[in-house]
């Protein structure tokens, strides 16, 4: 799976259903490229398109259960990798990581806000 595909699935997991135009902007690709990507992920059973109940002209891209499962599995694999690597650090290095957690959390929040773009 491409990084853009994985990032798009993670965005949908984090923010819920989105328009293709929104996903293209968040992921930094063109709308035609996102349309193609969504079609491939739809064929793979990871996403589906649904009408927007509040605006019948709009189609939203939604995660399927398989897509949500993929995101959870990928996140858990990352957690396990970091657990193993952190286990190899010295006590001082672990303390430095713990001290840096507030700043790292803030960075993640800023990145998330950046990726989500303006709210509608």
């Amino acid at each position: 799976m491409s990084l853009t595909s994985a990032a798009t699935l993670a965005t949908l997991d984090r923010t819920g259903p989105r328009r293709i135009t929104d996903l293209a902007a968040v992921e930094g690709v063109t709308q035609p490229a996102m349309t193609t990507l969504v079609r491939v992920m739809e064929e793979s059973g990871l996403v589906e398109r649904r009408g927007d109940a509040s605006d019948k002209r709009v189609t939203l891209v939604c995660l399927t259960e398989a897509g949500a499962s993929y995101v959870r599995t990928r996140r858990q694999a990352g957690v396990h990798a970091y657990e193993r690597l952190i286990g190899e650090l010295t006590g001082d290095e672990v303390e430095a990581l713990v001290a840096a957690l507030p700043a790292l959390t803030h960075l993640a929040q800023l990145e998330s806000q950046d990726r989500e773009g303006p709210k509608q």
Side-chain angles (χ1 to χ4, degrees):
M1 177 172 295
S2 73
L3 289 176
T4 305
S5 297
T8 300
L9 292 175
T11 296
L12 290 170
D13 185 60
R14 201 174 48 255
T15 67
R18 303 286 291 259
R19 296 177 182 202
I20 285 180
T21 53
D22 293 341
L23 288 171
V26 168
E27 302 307 333
V29 299
T30 64
Q31 184 174 344
M34 184 56 69
T35 299
T36 300
L37 183 69
V38 166
R39 187 181 72 246
V40 169
M41 290 191 301
E42 192 173 28
E43 290 169 358
S44 298
L46 300 171
V47 300
E48 62 186 8
R49 298 176 204 220
R50 293 186 191 156
D52 185 345
S54 65
D55 185 345
K56 299 297 182 196
R57 300 168 296 170
V58 173
T59 299
L60 298 173
V61 179
C62 310
L63 272 184
T64 62
E65 182 51 43
S69 177
Y70 176 84
V71 171
R72 284 190 303 271
T73 299
R74 186 174 163 103
R75 281 190 184 131
Q76 195 59 43
V79 167
H80 290 310
Y82 275 109
E83 285 176 340
R84 182 182 55 77
L85 292 171
I86 289 170
E88 296 178 20
L89 297 177
T90 66
D92 288 344
E93 290 169 327
V94 172
E95 285 181 28
L97 276 179
V98 170
L101 284 175
L104 292 171
T105 300
H106 188 217
L107 280 176
Q109 291 167 344
L110 292 172
E111 190 272 340
S112 179
Q113 290 169 2
D114 234 22
R115 289 179 58 79
E116 289 175 14
K119 298 289 183 192
Q120 293 186 5

